[in-house]
Amino acid sequence: MKDLHKSLGGVVGTFLALSTILGSGMMILPGISYHTLARSAWMPWAVAALAVVPLLYCYAWLGQRHPSASGVAHYAGVAFNPALARTAGTAATFALVAGIPATALTGGHYLAEFTGAGALTWLFPVLVLGVATAVAYAGTGVSGRLQVVLVIALFVMIVCVALVALGSNGVRAPATRLPPSGSFGMVLTAVFVAFTGWETVAFTFEEHKRPDIIPRVFAASYVIVVALYALLLLSLFATVDPDDDGLRSAPLLLLAERALGGLGRPVALVLVTGVITANVLASVLALSRLVFGMARDHHLPAALARLRERDGNPVTAVVAVGTLLVLIAVLSTSGLVPLEHLFTFSGGVYFVLYGVGAAAFARLATGGTARVVTVLCAVTVLGVTLLAGPSMWLCWGLFAVLFAVVILTRRRNAREPEPERTRI
């Protein structure tokens, strides 16, 4: 089987990472955390930002040395065995298949609420998923350039809105009083989702021209993400009362209206549409690469590993992924698949995959730095798992069940005799 075409540079790779990370979490989580903890909301964000660093170090190290479209599945296979590789890849596929439609549906709900056009609840997800599939079909180069434009425009808009809000209302210093442990743990578990997405970016590493710059891609995108979240929190502190119920559903709308007055609603609409579109574009591209990698490794039907001759784009995987995502979005809008279940499952499984990546790093990396990073990762994974409670424990349990099924299937196939050949 052929490898994917090397077409990504460091700049496009960084914007691709930003598109993947800045999704629906940016639109909701700053408001929920502020509503719950008032101006102490910065504390769980700071803890999550620090806690994710060793996990990002693991993925950057693995991506630089083992770039593959299979991402965490490939790392698990190199470090451990094919059974764990297949389990990790299957779990990642399930998580993205659940999470991408959920993100698109969030945008649909936002737009329907803002405009009063109820049809947008289902129409926007279908349209944005269709566009994302078409862009991924066009190729990584087209997708990357489009995401650069989108992210730059969004970043400029968010920074301008935040600066206007701070300039007209002044800066209110964050609180230093520790919040109740129960509320802190609940918010920490939620905001950790805002720092996931780099594991999804790993599925595009095979297309990087220079894998050696992957750590710099991670570092640059991390700094930008942390700065953007900090700016949003400070802007909310300055302009919105923490008791405002709108923080739970539309914090960006509140911020834009307080900063820009009558222009706030259209600006918020553009921001929501842009953030969701950029995230879905990047995620569909990444999922198609994962499906291609899994097919190439014989974990999915071989037809999904076909590459288009002129540019090495796995268009069969792209079409299959796009069709499935649209179907799930339609089923979810009909009420058959609850939206909150998609988010819970996707976020939980992806945290489990963070743990799998950290375990692969611990197995492959050597030296004093590797040991320190391994310990920090173990503390982070264990701490977040305990704080998250039953929903996270269920995801670990599902991963264990999937691993057991893969083991049993491989053993059964190994015991089955080859079919006898007919003699002529």
Side-chain angles (χ1 to χ4, degrees):
M1 292 287 183
K2 296 180 180 180
D3 294 336
L4 294 174
H5 180 62
K6 310 294 184 184
S7 59
L8 286 177
V11 173
V12 175
T14 300
F15 280 95
L16 186 62
L18 290 170
S19 296
T20 307
I21 298 153
L22 297 175
S24 56
M26 188 186 76
M27 297 186 301
I28 297 293
L29 294 176
I32 291 177
S33 60
Y34 180 41
H35 187 71
T36 304
L37 302 178
R39 284 185 292 122
S40 296
W42 69 273
M43 296 181 185
W45 284 89
V47 171
L50 292 173
V52 80
V53 170
L55 293 169
L56 296 186
Y57 183 94
C58 292
Y59 269 81
W61 188 94
L62 290 165
Q64 181 180 2
R65 291 161 179 79
H66 305 284
S68 171
S70 300
V72 66
H74 181 70
Y75 309 152
V78 172
F80 298 104
N81 53 62
L84 187 60
R86 184 168 193 169
T87 304
T90 304
T93 303
F94 287 161
L96 277 170
V97 165
I100 296 173
T103 300
L105 288 162
T106 300
H109 286 298
Y110 250 89
L111 294 178
E113 181 179 346
F114 288 174
T115 63
L120 289 174
T121 303
W122 64 268
L123 183 59
F124 176 78
V126 171
L127 286 176
V128 76
L129 289 169
V131 168
T133 303
V135 171
Y137 190 91
T140 303
V142 174
S143 180
R145 288 191 294 272
L146 182 56
Q147 287 170 68
V148 169
V149 173
L150 276 173
V151 172
I152 289 177
L154 292 171
F155 187 80
V156 169
M157 289 182 66
I158 292 171
V159 170
C160 288
V161 170
L163 291 179
V164 170
L166 292 171
S168 58
N169 294 277
V171 178
R172 298 188 67 189
T176 56
R177 184 178 180 180
L178 290 174
S181 59
S183 299
F184 180 88
M186 178 186 67
V187 173
L188 174 61
T189 302
V191 302
F192 203 94
V193 175
F195 293 96
T196 60
W198 281 280
E199 68 275 45
T200 302
V201 180
F203 301 128
T204 65
F205 285 168
E206 187 174 314
E207 295 174 88
H208 271 264
K209 299 174 184 176
R210 291 181 53 193
D212 60 295
I213 66 171
I214 287 174
R216 279 180 272 172
V217 168
F218 269 40
S221 57
Y222 171 81
V223 170
I224 294 172
V225 165
V226 171
L228 197 58
Y229 285 145
L231 191 58
L232 283 174
L233 279 176
L234 285 174
S235 302
L236 289 173
F237 291 174
T239 58
V240 183
D241 189 283
D243 295 327
D244 194 318
D245 288 335
L247 288 168
R248 290 184 173 274
S249 58
L252 288 184
L253 175 61
L254 285 178
L255 177 59
E257 287 182 334
R258 301 294 168 81
L260 305 175
L263 289 175
R265 183 168 290 270
V267 168
L269 284 173
V270 173
L271 281 174
V272 169
T273 304
V275 169
I276 292 295
T277 301
N279 183 266
V280 172
L281 285 176
S283 299
V284 169
L285 181 74
L287 177 56
S288 68
R289 272 52 188 166
L290 168 60
V291 168
F292 159 79
M294 291 287 287
R296 184 179 56 186
D297 295 337
H298 310 293
H299 301 315
L300 288 174
L304 295 171
R306 292 173 183 163
L307 296 175
R308 189 163 57 194
E309 287 294 331
R310 63 180 173 85
D311 59 359
N313 189 13
V315 289
T316 305
V318 169
V319 172
V321 162
T323 303
L324 179 60
L325 293 176
V326 170
L327 177 61
I328 292 174
V330 171
L331 289 175
S332 186
T333 56
S334 68
L336 295 178
V337 183
L339 181 61
E340 60 272 18
H341 291 179
L342 293 177
F343 269 123
T344 301
F345 174 77
S346 179
V349 170
Y350 257 91
F351 186 77
V352 171
L353 294 174
Y354 257 138
V356 173
F361 170 84
R363 183 71 177 271
L364 297 172
T366 58
T369 301
R371 287 192 290 271
V372 172
V373 171
T374 297
V375 171
L376 291 174
C377 286
V379 171
T380 298
V381 171
L382 181 60
V384 173
T385 298
L386 292 175
L387 284 172
S391 61
M392 185 67 74
W393 306 341
L394 176 62
C395 290
W396 280 102
L398 290 173
F399 187 85
V401 169
L402 180 59
F403 182 56
V405 170
V406 170
I407 291 287
L408 292 174
T409 301
R410 289 176 63 87
R411 288 179 178 176
R412 186 188 65 185
N413 292 340
R415 287 196 302 266
E416 289 181 355
E418 294 185 6
E420 294 184 5
R421 296 180 180 178
T422 304
R423 295 181 178 181
I424 299 178

